[in-house]
Amino acid sequence: MTGIEVRYFAAAVDAAGREKETVDLAVGSDLAALRAALIERHGADMERVLSVAAYLVEPGSGGGELTRDLTYPAGAKVDVLPPFAGG
């Protein structure tokens, strides 16, 4: 098992009730496994958010990988990015 640091933004903060948390998953888990764990933990509101969210895997100085591909490896840090409104 490994702890994945998950940070939430916009509607994901509301769905999770927090800005960040750690989720324990098997080493080598993909974003689909992370998504399932988050829905199990936070319910239908999180499922709605994740249905339209993108994931920034390994954010940091290198920029990370922005993806919606649920087969992508989760990595140690993942930002959950729902669509943002505004201009």
Side-chain angles (χ1 to χ4, degrees):
M1 293 295 254
T2 187
I4 298 172
E5 181 183 325
V6 181
R7 294 189 308 174
Y8 301 108
F9 295 86
V13 172
D14 295 333
R18 66 195 74 205
E19 292 183 1
K20 65 181 178 177
E21 66 182 318
T22 300
V23 177
D24 290 326
L25 291 177
V27 173
S29 291
D30 60 15
L31 291 173
L34 177 61
R35 182 182 187 277
L38 295 177
I39 291 169
E40 181 178 326
R41 191 177 280 194
H42 299 293
D45 287 343
M46 182 60 76
E47 185 171 16
R48 278 189 292 280
V49 169
L50 295 180
S51 72
V52 295
Y55 304 88
L56 182 60
V57 180
E58 297 296 341
S61 60
E65 179 70 29
L66 183 64
T67 186
R68 285 191 168 91
D69 177 1
L70 296 178
T71 65
Y72 197 86
K77 294 181 181 180
V78 177
D79 290 351
V80 177
L81 305 170
F84 293 88

